[in-house]
Amino acid sequence: MNVAVIGGGTMGSMIAWRLAERGVFATVFEQFSPGHDRSAAGGESRVFRMAYAEGAGYTPILRRARELWRELEHITRRKLLHEVGMLTITPRDSAVLDTLDEGIMAHDLDCEILDGREIRRRFPQHRVATSDVAVLDHLGGYLRPELAVATAAHRAEMLGATVRRYARVEAVEHRGSDIVVVEDGHAHRFDAAVVAPGPWLARMLPQFAGVVRAERRIGAWFVPRSPELWFGRDCPVFARTSPGVSFYGMASVDGVSVKLGVTSAREPALPDPDLLDRTVSPEVLAPYREVISEHLPDLHPDPIRVGAYQECFTDDHHALLGPVSDRGNLLVAGGFSGHGFKMAPAVGDVVADLLTSGAPSLDVSALRTGRFRP
Ligand SMILES: Cc1cc2nc3c(=O)[nH]c(=O)nc-3n(C[C@H](O)[C@H](O)[C@H](O)COP(=O)(O)OP(=O)(O)OC[C@H]3O[C@@H](n4cnc5c(N)ncnc54)[C@H](O)[C@@H]3O)c2cc1C
């Protein structure tokens, strides 16, 4: 079988790797090159966590993803997943805590629950109220996104996949029972195709334009006053929800700075992902200063680095994964809504299952494309 993968970013590179592992011939079309930072996967680090605030149903997908991250590391001798733990801090009465609890119980996850006093003792970099609680997920940590995407693409190539770099797809459509991919005016014929263009999804598959949108997301890096607090297991990746604000941050990856993302600071949808503005104004950074002054006083409030990226969001913040229509040979993997990186190799596996056996080995029915149809 000949399969086109449109987009060689996070999902496309993993899909190509998982297809190639099964002996399926994959051709990836990527408008830049795998591992670039102009889309959803830039900025040095991505959170991995097993206890999942977006729903306990994700845990089997994350378990499989963890196995595959380890497999990719083992085969390629690259360190991709750093298991430093994940600390989620919330008020005691939050809905987030209820969902995490449900997942921990249902899937017997290796997690500890800490009260405010214990958080202060073990993780003094966080300013917390005595009434706050934290879930410490021991299998959490961070991934290295650019390296992971490039590594999966290289592995796919070693197994026989073709990666067409700087190859922008103009259209993908059925022609008879085949799929035709148009790139630079040339039509290429395939038995099947997977569309994984990240923020460009609405352009590539306009039937989803009403339910997906591209949004800009910022990352900013800050220098700590006490660097020893911000490394390795002493600084699990953290996420915090408190009234009016939610943010996350990472243990120092470069030995110099700590990365923060304020998820409650949303921006309007991007009219055109080609025109992503990568300039970050001081006004956009105001919520970061507030977070530091309220919750992370050890950090100097002026960033030494900022980055602007973009992601495809759906209306319900869950992805679209599976056949686009009743004809099973055109699939979509998109709309990962700010939390898809960690599960990418499992997404690759699901797509490979769908194309080779027709049925996925993981339950991804919650992500079916038809859920938005009237
Ligand atoms: C700032 C930020 C922080 C995030 N933090 C986390 C996190 O901590 N943990 C986590 O799990 N997730 C996180 N996410 C989400 C995660 O990174 C995304 O869900 C994931 O990377 C999406 O992968 P994708 O393959 O859909 O998109 P991408 O990785 O953007 O890949 C799409 C690719 O398609 C290519 N493409 C598009 N159109 C065409 C075309 N016409 N022809 C050829 N190529 C094309 C693009 O160039 C791109 O390379 C974050 C996202 C952002 C933006």
Side-chain angles (χ1 to χ4, degrees):
M1 185 176 17
N2 244 333
V3 177
V5 181
I6 295 154
T10 312
M11 303 303 160
S13 66
M14 300 292 161
I15 291 167
W17 167 43
R18 299 314 297 158
L19 283 170
E21 275 285 351
R22 294 172 199 216
V24 174
F25 187 71
T27 302
V28 178
F29 294 84
E30 168 53 52
Q31 62 183 343
F32 304 119
S33 69
H36 72 86
D37 69 348
R38 282 168 272 193
S39 189
E44 189 179 86
S45 51
R46 288 287 180 274
V47 176
F48 183 88
R49 54 202 154 92
M50 200 62 93
Y52 218 58
E54 290 81 353
Y58 279 99
T59 298
I61 300 172
L62 297 168
R63 278 215 166 105
R64 178 67 183 138
R66 182 170 176 270
E67 283 170 12
L68 290 170
W69 285 120
R70 292 299 185 216
E71 186 178 321
L72 188 59
E73 284 184 325
H74 180 72
I75 298 164
T76 62
R77 285 179 280 148
R78 299 275 186 286
K79 183 76 183 149
L80 304 173
L81 172 57
H82 297 255
E83 237 164 53
V84 295
M86 163 89 202
L87 190 70
T88 305
I89 305 175
T90 74
R92 189 175 289 280
D93 57 359
S94 79
V96 169
L97 190 62
D98 292 342
T99 315
L100 290 177
D101 264 348
E102 194 190 312
I104 293 167
M105 307 285 268
H107 298 286
D108 194 20
L109 298 178
D110 182 11
C111 293
E112 278 179 78
I113 310 289
L114 312 179
D115 63 17
R117 205 179 313 212
E118 191 62 4
I119 305 169
R120 266 188 222 134
R121 191 183 70 77
R122 288 170 62 178
F123 304 111
Q125 58 276 61
H126 296 280
R127 182 188 280 152
V128 292
T130 310
S131 56
D132 284 329
V133 290
V135 174
L136 178 57
D137 176 353
H138 290 286
L139 293 186
Y142 63 88
L143 290 151
R144 303 302 309 269
E146 295 91 343
L147 179 64
V149 171
T151 299
H154 296 158
R155 180 67 190 154
E157 283 178 303
M158 282 188 67
L159 294 169
T162 297
V163 178
R164 294 175 64 93
R165 293 166 170 82
Y166 306 100
R168 183 167 168 123
V169 170
E170 287 134 33
V172 53
E173 62 201 23
H174 274 106
R175 210 166 285 173
S177 58
D178 290 351
I179 303 279
V180 167
V181 172
V182 182
E183 177 241 334
D184 198 19
H186 298 285
H188 307 261
R189 230 170 230 278
F190 293 92
D191 302 314
V194 191
V195 182
W200 285 264
L201 179 55
R203 181 177 302 170
M204 205 78 284
L205 295 175
Q207 60 268 51
F208 294 115
V211 293
V212 303
R213 68 208 160 274
E215 287 183 23
R216 190 171 88 141
R217 284 288 186 270
I218 305 301
W221 284 256
F222 299 88
V223 174
R225 293 184 171 86
S226 316
E228 69 282 1
L229 296 177
W230 301 91
F231 288 103
R233 285 242 158 222
D234 290 331
C235 182
V237 169
F238 51 92
R240 185 150 179 186
T241 50
S242 59
V245 67
S246 53
F247 62 92
Y248 67 92
M250 309 277 174
S252 185
V253 169
D254 61 0
V256 172
S257 60
V258 173
K259 178 176 138 183
L260 297 183
V262 179
T263 37
S264 47
R266 301 252 324 252
E267 296 190 6
L270 289 169
D272 182 350
D274 284 342
L275 304 178
L276 171 70
D277 182 358
R278 302 179 86 188
T279 308
V280 179
S281 68
E283 296 76 59
V284 168
L285 291 168
Y288 288 74
R289 290 172 187 280
E290 281 165 30
V291 159
I292 288 171
S293 126
E294 281 282 306
H295 303 288
L296 300 167
D298 189 62
L299 300 180
H300 287 282
D302 301 306
I304 57 164
R305 176 182 162 195
V306 291
Y309 313 97
Q310 53 182 331
E311 164 72 317
C312 181
F313 287 81
T314 65
D315 282 351
D316 64 6
H317 287 202
H318 298 284
L320 294 163
L321 180 59
V324 167
S325 67
D326 296 341
R327 297 157 84 177
N329 62 344
L330 180 60
L331 272 58
V332 61
F336 286 89
S337 303
H339 60 110
F341 199 89
K342 62 184 80 57
M343 59 186 97
V347 169
D349 235 23
V350 164
V351 168
D353 288 341
L354 286 167
L355 288 174
T356 53
S357 71
S361 50
L362 291 163
D363 180 5
V364 290
S365 54
L367 311 181
R368 69 195 175 283
T369 59
R371 72 184 187 276
F372 291 117
R373 284 191 208 123

